[in-house]
Amino acid sequence: MSLHTPILAPSILAGDHAHLAASMEIVAQTGLSWAHLDIMDGHFVPNLSFGPQTVADLRKVCDLFFDVHLMLDEPQRYIEAFAKSGANLISVHVEPTYAIVETLEKIRELGCLNGIVLNPDTPAESILPFLGRVDLVLVMTVQPGFGGQSFRHDVLAKISQIDRWRNDRSLQFRLEVDGGVDAQTAPLCRERGCDTFVAGTAFFQAGDKLEFARSIEE
Ligand code: DX5
Ligand code: ZN
């Protein structure tokens, strides 16, 4: 798969949490290969979701690519647990204070791809020191913590900036967008260089998931 092949990564946060395996099955039956797993600690974001035990149990019942988004104040304490639980890619936020370079390196040592994430109000420049060290940059287009929020159009300029840096420096990371992504907002991100699209509500509420997936991955 080329680096810029568009990928839709449905967020199972928007699925039925009594039946997360069924959500994975829906993603797989739609013909998709990635699932996005949102991990929240109640500190970095004002919500809680699920942890490594849940990820490990989901790993046993499906072979989708697990794109694990850690919304944690101390992600470095948990990356080993998530790598062992079967994550394929682990993304960590740039905002908290911890050893970011070491954490990104450790994720790769553990056999996973790594990603750096920035919130809507965090300047693009904050991720500059890490751009040559990551497999993915995740740009939040909502304040993280909850699904179903409205897409922040003011973040589009930041996506363009990061895409410019990627081109100017011939870097290889994927550029992913997360929050309020739907059939209307995904094309705006694609025009600005995004190649990887997280969608929770828009995917799980789509009447025709195949059609929605095609509209993103075509
Ligand atoms: C927000 C999460 C997102 C969320 C997206 O904290 O990081 O992945 O599930 O949900 P929607 O697509 O509903 O905005
Ligand atoms: Zn997410």
Side-chain angles (χ1 to χ4, degrees), residues 150-171:
S150 298
F151 182 87
R152 291 259 308 256
H153 286 78
D154 59 309
V155 179
L156 288 170
K158 193 160 67 180
I159 294 172
S160 299
Q161 174 66 71
I162 296 168
D163 183 49
R164 269 197 302 278
W165 285 332
R166 178 168 61 170
N167 292 331
D168 292 349
R169 298 161 188 221
S170 302
L171 294 170

mmCIF file of all heavy atoms in Angstrom, residues 150-171:
data_model
loop_
_atom_site.group_PDB
_atom_site.id
_atom_site.type_symbol
_atom_site.label_atom_id
_atom_site.label_comp_id
_atom_site.label_asym_id
_atom_site.label_seq_id
_atom_site.Cartn_x
_atom_site.Cartn_y
_atom_site.Cartn_z
ATOM 1 N N SER A 150 -18.498 18.674 16.822
ATOM 2 C CA SER A 150 -18.413 19.296 15.491
ATOM 3 C C SER A 150 -16.963 19.527 15.077
ATOM 4 O O SER A 150 -16.127 19.941 15.886
ATOM 5 C CB SER A 150 -19.125 20.653 15.477
ATOM 6 O OG SER A 150 -20.475 20.451 15.756
ATOM 7 N N PHE A 151 -16.722 19.295 13.815
ATOM 8 C CA PHE A 151 -15.408 19.478 13.187
ATOM 9 C C PHE A 151 -14.961 20.933 13.309
ATOM 10 O O PHE A 151 -15.726 21.849 13.030
ATOM 11 C CB PHE A 151 -15.547 19.091 11.712
ATOM 12 C CG PHE A 151 -14.291 19.167 10.909
ATOM 13 C CD1 PHE A 151 -13.422 18.091 10.845
ATOM 14 C CD2 PHE A 151 -13.992 20.312 10.177
ATOM 15 C CE1 PHE A 151 -12.265 18.156 10.065
ATOM 16 C CE2 PHE A 151 -12.838 20.384 9.403
ATOM 17 C CZ PHE A 151 -11.977 19.298 9.353
ATOM 18 N N ARG A 152 -13.699 21.135 13.701
ATOM 19 C CA ARG A 152 -13.148 22.497 13.832
ATOM 20 C C ARG A 152 -12.472 22.911 12.516
ATOM 21 O O ARG A 152 -11.334 22.526 12.237
ATOM 22 C CB ARG A 152 -12.127 22.529 14.978
ATOM 23 C CG ARG A 152 -12.702 22.355 16.365
ATOM 24 C CD ARG A 152 -12.820 23.684 17.079
ATOM 25 N NE ARG A 152 -11.591 24.444 17.090
ATOM 26 C CZ ARG A 152 -10.770 24.572 18.148
ATOM 27 N NH1 ARG A 152 -11.056 23.964 19.280
ATOM 28 N NH2 ARG A 152 -9.678 25.322 18.082
ATOM 29 N N HIS A 153 -13.180 23.717 11.736
ATOM 30 C CA HIS A 153 -12.635 24.140 10.440
ATOM 31 C C HIS A 153 -11.356 24.963 10.587
ATOM 32 O O HIS A 153 -10.539 25.011 9.667
ATOM 33 C CB HIS A 153 -13.685 24.928 9.654
ATOM 34 C CG HIS A 153 -14.769 24.063 9.083
ATOM 35 N ND1 HIS A 153 -15.809 23.573 9.850
ATOM 36 C CD2 HIS A 153 -14.945 23.574 7.832
ATOM 37 C CE1 HIS A 153 -16.585 22.820 9.092
ATOM 38 N NE2 HIS A 153 -16.095 22.804 7.866
ATOM 39 N N ASP A 154 -11.195 25.599 11.750
ATOM 40 C CA ASP A 154 -9.995 26.433 11.931
ATOM 41 C C ASP A 154 -8.712 25.600 11.973
ATOM 42 O O ASP A 154 -7.615 26.160 11.881
ATOM 43 C CB ASP A 154 -10.117 27.283 13.209
ATOM 44 C CG ASP A 154 -10.297 26.441 14.465
ATOM 45 O OD1 ASP A 154 -11.184 25.556 14.475
ATOM 46 O OD2 ASP A 154 -9.544 26.644 15.432
ATOM 47 N N VAL A 155 -8.844 24.270 12.078
ATOM 48 C CA VAL A 155 -7.648 23.418 12.131
ATOM 49 C C VAL A 155 -7.114 23.101 10.726
ATOM 50 O O VAL A 155 -5.977 22.646 10.567
ATOM 51 C CB VAL A 155 -7.953 22.121 12.928
ATOM 52 C CG1 VAL A 155 -6.744 21.202 12.991
ATOM 53 C CG2 VAL A 155 -8.423 22.448 14.339
ATOM 54 N N LEU A 156 -7.915 23.383 9.700
ATOM 55 C CA LEU A 156 -7.513 23.009 8.332
ATOM 56 C C LEU A 156 -6.174 23.627 7.924
ATOM 57 O O LEU A 156 -5.355 22.984 7.261
ATOM 58 C CB LEU A 156 -8.606 23.411 7.332
ATOM 59 C CG LEU A 156 -9.879 22.552 7.386
ATOM 60 C CD1 LEU A 156 -10.986 23.176 6.531
ATOM 61 C CD2 LEU A 156 -9.595 21.128 6.927
ATOM 62 N N ALA A 157 -5.941 24.880 8.332
ATOM 63 C CA ALA A 157 -4.689 25.544 7.951
ATOM 64 C C ALA A 157 -3.484 24.801 8.541
ATOM 65 O O ALA A 157 -2.416 24.700 7.917
ATOM 66 C CB ALA A 157 -4.696 26.991 8.428
ATOM 67 N N LYS A 158 -3.674 24.245 9.743
ATOM 68 C CA LYS A 158 -2.584 23.510 10.398
ATOM 69 C C LYS A 158 -2.277 22.209 9.637
ATOM 70 O O LYS A 158 -1.114 21.815 9.505
ATOM 71 C CB LYS A 158 -2.987 23.214 11.850
ATOM 72 C CG LYS A 158 -1.875 22.743 12.712
ATOM 73 C CD LYS A 158 -2.186 22.944 14.184
ATOM 74 C CE LYS A 158 -3.319 22.075 14.671
ATOM 75 N NZ LYS A 158 -3.583 22.295 16.108
ATOM 76 N N ILE A 159 -3.328 21.584 9.118
ATOM 77 C CA ILE A 159 -3.126 20.365 8.318
ATOM 78 C C ILE A 159 -2.267 20.705 7.097
ATOM 79 O O ILE A 159 -1.310 19.990 6.775
ATOM 80 C CB ILE A 159 -4.492 19.766 7.888
ATOM 81 C CG1 ILE A 159 -5.253 19.268 9.128
ATOM 82 C CG2 ILE A 159 -4.305 18.645 6.865
ATOM 83 C CD1 ILE A 159 -6.684 18.833 8.856
ATOM 84 N N SER A 160 -2.599 21.818 6.435
ATOM 85 C CA SER A 160 -1.819 22.234 5.245
ATOM 86 C C SER A 160 -0.365 22.479 5.614
ATOM 87 O O SER A 160 0.557 22.094 4.883
ATOM 88 C CB SER A 160 -2.395 23.519 4.641
ATOM 89 O OG SER A 160 -3.712 23.315 4.242
ATOM 90 N N GLN A 161 -0.151 23.114 6.744
ATOM 91 C CA GLN A 161 1.218 23.418 7.186
ATOM 92 C C GLN A 161 2.025 22.133 7.404
ATOM 93 O O GLN A 161 3.163 22.008 6.961
ATOM 94 C CB GLN A 161 1.166 24.240 8.480
ATOM 95 C CG GLN A 161 2.519 24.486 9.117
ATOM 96 C CD GLN A 161 3.419 25.372 8.265
ATOM 97 O OE1 GLN A 161 3.185 26.559 8.145
ATOM 98 N NE2 GLN A 161 4.434 24.775 7.647
ATOM 99 N N ILE A 162 1.413 21.172 8.076
ATOM 100 C CA ILE A 162 2.123 19.916 8.368
ATOM 101 C C ILE A 162 2.389 19.160 7.064
ATOM 102 O O ILE A 162 3.465 18.590 6.872
ATOM 103 C CB ILE A 162 1.327 19.066 9.389
ATOM 104 C CG1 ILE A 162 1.247 19.823 10.729
ATOM 105 C CG2 ILE A 162 1.955 17.689 9.582
ATOM 106 C CD1 ILE A 162 0.257 19.253 11.729
ATOM 107 N N ASP A 163 1.428 19.190 6.146
ATOM 108 C CA ASP A 163 1.641 18.542 4.843
ATOM 109 C C ASP A 163 2.782 19.219 4.089
ATOM 110 O O ASP A 163 3.583 18.534 3.435
ATOM 111 C CB ASP A 163 0.346 18.593 4.021
ATOM 112 C CG ASP A 163 0.493 17.870 2.700
ATOM 113 O OD1 ASP A 163 0.981 16.719 2.702
ATOM 114 O OD2 ASP A 163 0.148 18.449 1.650
ATOM 115 N N ARG A 164 2.879 20.546 4.187
ATOM 116 C CA ARG A 164 3.993 21.266 3.523
ATOM 117 C C ARG A 164 5.332 20.820 4.096
ATOM 118 O O ARG A 164 6.281 20.554 3.373
ATOM 119 C CB ARG A 164 3.838 22.782 3.695
ATOM 120 C CG ARG A 164 3.059 23.450 2.556
ATOM 121 C CD ARG A 164 3.275 24.958 2.531
ATOM 122 N NE ARG A 164 2.894 25.623 3.764
ATOM 123 C CZ ARG A 164 1.646 25.976 4.073
ATOM 124 N NH1 ARG A 164 0.645 25.697 3.256
ATOM 125 N NH2 ARG A 164 1.374 26.579 5.222
ATOM 126 N N TRP A 165 5.409 20.740 5.421
ATOM 127 C CA TRP A 165 6.658 20.278 6.052
ATOM 128 C C TRP A 165 7.007 18.874 5.572
ATOM 129 O O TRP A 165 8.157 18.557 5.304
ATOM 130 C CB TRP A 165 6.523 20.281 7.580
ATOM 131 C CG TRP A 165 6.570 21.634 8.205
ATOM 132 C CD1 TRP A 165 7.213 22.737 7.723
ATOM 133 C CD2 TRP A 165 5.954 22.023 9.434
ATOM 134 N NE1 TRP A 165 7.030 23.790 8.588
ATOM 135 C CE2 TRP A 165 6.263 23.387 9.651
ATOM 136 C CE3 TRP A 165 5.171 21.368 10.383
ATOM 137 C CZ2 TRP A 165 5.825 24.102 10.765
ATOM 138 C CZ3 TRP A 165 4.722 22.063 11.494
ATOM 139 C CH2 TRP A 165 5.059 23.420 11.679
ATOM 140 N N ARG A 166 5.982 18.026 5.476
ATOM 141 C CA ARG A 166 6.228 16.643 5.033
ATOM 142 C C ARG A 166 6.828 16.637 3.630
ATOM 143 O O ARG A 166 7.795 15.915 3.365
ATOM 144 C CB ARG A 166 4.905 15.865 5.064
ATOM 145 C CG ARG A 166 5.027 14.440 4.585
ATOM 146 C CD ARG A 166 3.803 13.618 4.879
ATOM 147 N NE ARG A 166 2.576 14.114 4.247
ATOM 148 C CZ ARG A 166 1.440 13.441 4.219
ATOM 149 N NH1 ARG A 166 1.368 12.264 4.823
ATOM 150 N NH2 ARG A 166 0.372 13.940 3.633
ATOM 151 N N ASN A 167 6.263 17.440 2.745
ATOM 152 C CA ASN A 167 6.771 17.483 1.363
ATOM 153 C C ASN A 167 8.151 18.118 1.297
ATOM 154 O O ASN A 167 9.065 17.573 0.668
ATOM 155 C CB ASN A 167 5.797 18.271 0.470
ATOM 156 C CG ASN A 167 4.498 17.517 0.302
ATOM 157 O OD1 ASN A 167 4.468 16.288 0.355
ATOM 158 N ND2 ASN A 167 3.407 18.245 0.135
ATOM 159 N N ASP A 168 8.296 19.274 1.973
ATOM 160 C CA ASP A 168 9.571 20.006 1.897
ATOM 161 C C ASP A 168 10.727 19.151 2.399
ATOM 162 O O ASP A 168 11.853 19.264 1.918
ATOM 163 C CB ASP A 168 9.511 21.289 2.733
ATOM 164 C CG ASP A 168 8.555 22.313 2.129
ATOM 165 O OD1 ASP A 168 8.123 22.088 0.977
ATOM 166 O OD2 ASP A 168 8.226 23.302 2.809
ATOM 167 N N ARG A 169 10.461 18.327 3.426
ATOM 168 C CA ARG A 169 11.541 17.542 4.038
ATOM 169 C C ARG A 169 11.556 16.094 3.557
ATOM 170 O O ARG A 169 12.292 15.268 4.115
ATOM 171 C CB ARG A 169 11.362 17.562 5.562
ATOM 172 C CG ARG A 169 11.456 18.972 6.117
ATOM 173 C CD ARG A 169 10.852 19.105 7.496
ATOM 174 N NE ARG A 169 10.805 20.509 7.872
ATOM 175 C CZ ARG A 169 11.081 20.993 9.057
ATOM 176 N NH1 ARG A 169 11.419 20.179 10.033
ATOM 177 N NH2 ARG A 169 11.013 22.273 9.296
ATOM 178 N N SER A 170 10.694 15.780 2.576
ATOM 179 C CA SER A 170 10.586 14.410 2.050
ATOM 180 C C SER A 170 10.408 13.395 3.178
ATOM 181 O O SER A 170 11.086 12.366 3.207
ATOM 182 C CB SER A 170 11.821 14.045 1.221
ATOM 183 O OG SER A 170 11.978 14.956 0.169
ATOM 184 N N LEU A 171 9.500 13.701 4.102
ATOM 185 C CA LEU A 171 9.235 12.792 5.218
ATOM 186 C C LEU A 171 8.135 11.806 4.819
ATOM 187 O O LEU A 171 7.392 12.033 3.861
ATOM 188 C CB LEU A 171 8.863 13.596 6.467
ATOM 189 C CG LEU A 171 10.010 14.460 7.000
ATOM 190 C CD1 LEU A 171 9.523 15.415 8.084
ATOM 191 C CD2 LEU A 171 11.134 13.591 7.535
#
